[in-house]
Amino acid sequence: MMDATQELPEKEVGLGWHPYRVLLILMIFSFFMVFAGWTSGYIVRRDEGNWREFDLPNIFILSTVLVTLSSATIQWAYYSAKKDELRRVQVGLVLTLLLGLGFLASQWAAWTYLVHQTNTYFGGADANPSGSFLYVLTGWHAFHIISGLIFVGVVLKRSLNYQVHSRAMLSIGNGAIYWHFLGLLWWYLYLFLLLNH
Amino acid sequence: MATNMTGSSQAQGGIGTAAAPATTHDDHLHEHDHHDQHWLWKYVFSQDHKMIARQFLITGMFWAIVGGALSSLFRLQLGWPQATLGWLEPILGKWVVGGKIAPEFYLALVTMHGTIMVFFVLTAGLSGTFSNFLIPLQVGARDMASGFMNMLSYWFFFLSSIIMFSSLFLETGPAASGWTIYPPLSALPQAIPGSGMGMTMWLVSMVFFIVSQLLGGVNYVTTVINLRTRGMSMSKLPLTIWAFFLTAILGILSFPVLFSAALLLVFDRSFGTSFFLSDIYIAGQALPNQGGSPVLFQHLFWFLGHPEVYIVIMPAMGMVSEVLATNARKPIFGYRAMIGSLIGISLLSFVVWAHHMFVTGMNPFLGSVFMFLTLIIAVPSGVKVFNWLATLWRGNIRFTSAMLFAIGFVSLFISGGLTGIILGNATLDIQMHNTYFVVAHFHLVMGSSAFFGLFAGVYHWFPKMFGRMMDEKLGYIHFWLTFAGVYLVFMPMHYVGIAGFPRRYYAWTGFDAFSQFADLNKFISTAAILAFFAQFVFIFNFFYSIFRGRRATQNPWNSTTLEWTTPIIPGHGNWPGEIPAVYRWPYDYSKPGSDKDFIPQTVPYSATPESNLPYEQELSE
Ligand code: HEM
Ligand SMILES: [Cu+2]
């Protein structure tokens, strides 16, 4: 099997990016389009009326803090890899994983709160699309976070095998890009819900 | 992406195996490991783009036969509503009740016909085959950016096919609410039998289908962006590649939206949400669902649905451009305008979706905006048609089978495009919507045209795929039968449609107004069934030629593009030695001054002083 990377020198310079990075960025676009579909659908639906209003749980603020911190830690790991400070890379990645898990926990807490304190349900006779949309948006995002955690976990494993350093930045770079995307996606969803709930 | 399943010894990418792009072997040109691969890796779980392309093609052909057979069945019903079809009972079993096709089954037939043709044949079968086959060969790459993801793309398609195909044999029948699966019909199993298990399998199958499209699409785009050979700038790409490239981008951006709609529908069906459901009484009972909006589904669906029709047609446009130029022995007319119009169509295709929804009660002002944007699409489409005709104009035409189908494509695209302009006018569409006029429109402009593009592609690139030529005589017979067939089928449908025949009706015998069209319907059905059987000429030719066809030469059509510089049957890695560099655009046919009537892309300007234009002469010095 041809390894795509071997081909680069005899190639027209594309974007100057590794093919796997281009693949990742294209995938990110398509992941985002799912949310773009839902958020536009949300607005279309809300404007038709019969829309139950409720307050967003404050714990979402905690989620935002956690996910932002985790972006910082993975970026720190990335810079450390660039400087070949391998220990810090691993610390950074582990912190990212922990913060990511914390984010998931905070989401879980938020959903429980919504169900028990505000009677906002996903489905059933008492549900309204306003609530169902919220669970779909945050749930699908959480699902991506899980995929991101796996990704970061793989990078961590590679780093433990000394496969991540200043001359092997591809995996940690891609991991960081994907993780930042997930963070930004959360910001987008949270601001969107704040403005439109 | 993370694991590697090839049987060969070269380490292939985990996420970051290939540390930095710069780590290369100097000897990457060495013979590629030809040591014996197990047949399972070579023919089944192959990561070679050419094998994957053939897998897509064969699967697509299988689906085309299934889709065509389904349409013959419902045309039987439409043409001869009174006939007893008892002879079908052995095949269809309980779907034929007392010699009559069951009405629910009729709906299932049209639904599955549409789904299969649009998605499985003209999306996966068409771009799956030719994007895979031609992108690496024509841009000068050894394979796709990620062979592994490319293989996954086929196997997700395969899985999706298995699920969709099995749904045909369900007790309650396959999905039956139209290829557009509008809720509430599709959401409520109580509504029709097809909305039960059949619909569930439809949705599951489509989710895998979307995954397959995305895996394929990101690969095509990356390969075009990153793996072009030396000298192959974007402005030297064959139009096929431009078309595949933009098609893949459309897919990457629009299929996820279909996914978002499908997932919400799944929730409505199985998890008690009400995204699309509200105020519904069924069999005298009120459903608990409140607050949903079926129109929301239509928005989400058509946001994919409209780009999807261009996903179907653009690869065909690209291949037709290539075949026309090669066989007219002339440069394609307006190369840059061709690229520009493809880009224009791609952009516009995202902002016209609501022309499928003029009768949903939308704000008339919004309707006019969508009408305006829709009609603008006629401009880039017109540019393309003009350029194709100008390419043919005074060409030194070689009527190969591929060329006939390419010309047929242009004809069908014009005929079907014109009715698009009629439908694009909201006021006219309110009259025509959901009649056979729409059916006639999209079968000419999309269904038939894209099939013709597909055939042109198969006849043209068959020698590269299988090392042998297809039979030209059979190709002519196939062309004329098909060409006459599709016009005889779809032209009369315009009249039927203007008279107000609604689509997806099981029979019109109950309406006196339509009785005068009974003969016309018989006529259409006869033509449709004959045209379907004509396709077996092609199937025979295809399989016969794989084994017995005349052996191909290296460049049978005297073409300029890179794929014809590979060995007759390219091996793994496509070129045994170095990948050739590219010096010129792909359309140097009959260049004044040159003694040959074509100059391949790999010939430098310094070798052709006699035919160089002044600026080319400068480049060569
Ligand atoms: C000049 C360009 C075109 C215009 C203005 C146009 C306009 C329209 C309009 C307004 C409709 C909706 C009719 C209705 O449901 O009442 C329609 C339906 C359709 N068009 Fe076109 N069209 C054009 C070209 C194309 C092309 C190039 C394709 C495909 C390659 C295509 C495929 C379809 C399909 C599949 C449908 C029917 C979908 C369905 O309801 O099942 N059209 N077109
Ligand atoms: Cu459309």
Side-chain angles (χ1 to χ4, degrees), chain B residues 487-509:
Chain B
Y487 269 116
L488 292 178
V489 173
F490 297 118
M491 272 298 163
M493 282 191 191
H494 291 97
Y495 296 98
V496 183
I498 292 171
F501 266 56
R503 61 194 280 210
R504 294 174 179 152
Y505 269 37
Y506 169 69
W508 298 292
T509 37

Side-chain angles (χ1 to χ4, degrees), chain B residues 314-368:
Chain B
M314 291 210 313
M317 289 176 161
M319 293 194 294
V320 161
S321 307
E322 189 69 19
V323 171
L324 282 181
T326 307
N327 291 294
R329 312 309 294 164
K330 271 182 66 185
I332 190 83
F333 189 89
Y335 173 75
R336 275 169 197 270
M338 284 305 227
I339 298 174
S341 55
L342 281 176
I343 295 176
I345 289 177
S346 307
L347 292 176
L348 283 171
S349 74
F350 282 109
V351 290
V352 300
W353 76 89
H355 64 212
H356 297 274
M357 302 166 58
F358 284 141
V359 298
T360 52
M362 68 165 66
N363 180 331
F365 175 73
L366 197 61
S368 338

Side-chain angles (χ1 to χ4, degrees), chain A residues 47-62:
Chain A
D47 291 348
E48 287 180 13
N50 187 3
W51 185 258
R52 190 169 158 264
E53 308 264 338
F54 56 89
D55 286 328
L56 292 180
N58 288 331
I59 198 158
F60 276 165
I61 297 172
L62 176 64

Side-chain angles (χ1 to χ4, degrees), chain B residues 572-584:
Chain B
H572 215 30
N574 296 338
W575 285 266
E578 199 179 341
I579 300 181
V582 160
Y583 301 94
R584 57 179 74 228

Side-chain angles (χ1 to χ4, degrees), chain B residues 200-484:
Chain B
T200 305
M201 287 175 73
W202 193 99
L203 287 165
V204 173
S205 164
M206 282 314 289
V207 167
F208 288 122
F209 186 88
I210 292 167
V211 173
S212 151
Q213 283 301 305
L214 294 179
L215 288 171
V218 293
N219 240 317
Y220 307 153
V221 174
T222 307
T223 309
V224 174
I225 291 181
N226 263 38
L227 300 183
R228 282 168 287 129
T229 186
R230 271 169 300 139
M232 183 64 93
S233 60
M234 291 303 270
S235 57
K236 291 200 183 74
L237 285 177
L239 288 173
T240 36
I241 303 300
W242 267 104
F244 299 147
F245 177 66
L246 292 166
T247 303
I249 292 179
L250 289 192
I252 290 172
L253 296 178
S254 65
F255 270 110
V257 181
L258 176 63
F259 176 82
S260 71
L263 197 65
L264 298 190
L265 189 55
V266 169
F267 289 145
D268 271 8
R269 287 167 51 81
S270 313
F271 296 86
T273 56
S274 314
F275 289 106
F276 307 130
L277 302 174
S278 194
D279 307 304
I280 295 171
Y281 286 82
I282 198 159
Q285 264 197 316
L287 295 186
N289 304 74
Q290 282 302 322
S293 157
V295 173
L296 174 61
F297 179 87
Q298 297 193 22
H299 278 296
L300 290 174
F301 181 88
W302 286 114
F303 188 86
L304 157 92
H306 188 82
E308 166 64 17
V309 306
Y310 286 99
I311 289 174
V312 164
I313 205 70
M314 291 210 313
M317 289 176 161
M319 293 194 294
V320 161
S321 307
E322 189 69 19
V323 171
L324 282 181
T326 307
N327 291 294
R329 312 309 294 164
K330 271 182 66 185
I332 190 83
F333 189 89
Y335 173 75
R336 275 169 197 270
M338 284 305 227
I339 298 174
S341 55
L342 281 176
I343 295 176
I345 289 177
S346 307
L347 292 176
L348 283 171
S349 74
F350 282 109
V351 290
V352 300
W353 76 89
H355 64 212
H356 297 274
M357 302 166 58
F358 284 141
V359 298
T360 52
M362 68 165 66
N363 180 331
F365 175 73
L366 197 61
S368 338
V369 173
F370 276 104
M371 172 176 133
F372 175 69
L373 292 165
T374 299
L375 292 179
I376 294 180
I377 293 207
V379 177
S381 311
V383 168
K384 299 204 80 76
V385 167
F386 179 83
N387 287 354
W388 287 320
L389 295 179
T391 305
L392 288 172
W393 178 253
R394 305 184 68 181
N396 187 3
I397 297 180
R398 296 181 180 172
F399 287 103
T400 60
S401 309
M403 183 63 162
L404 288 177
F405 276 100
I407 297 173
F409 169 96
V410 177
S411 158
L412 291 163
F413 187 74
I414 298 174
S415 313
L418 288 176
T419 50
I421 299 175
I422 296 175
L423 293 172
N425 288 282
T427 38
L428 295 175
D429 185 61
I430 288 169
Q431 167 73 17
M432 305 290 197
H433 180 66
N434 254 349
T435 67
Y436 264 71
F437 195 82
V438 177
V439 177
H441 158 66
F442 72 77
H443 277 89
L444 283 180
V445 77
M446 175 171 87
S448 308
S449 300
F451 256 105
F452 271 53
L454 179 69
F455 286 133
V458 173
Y459 282 106
H460 193 76
W461 280 286
F462 191 87
K464 194 81 267 164
M465 283 187 176
F466 299 102
R468 291 173 185 265
M469 314 291 287
M470 287 182 79
D471 188 82
E472 289 282 305
K473 291 256 157 33
L474 289 177
Y476 290 170
I477 297 175
H478 174 220
F479 170 75
W480 285 111
L481 290 178
T482 312
F483 189 66

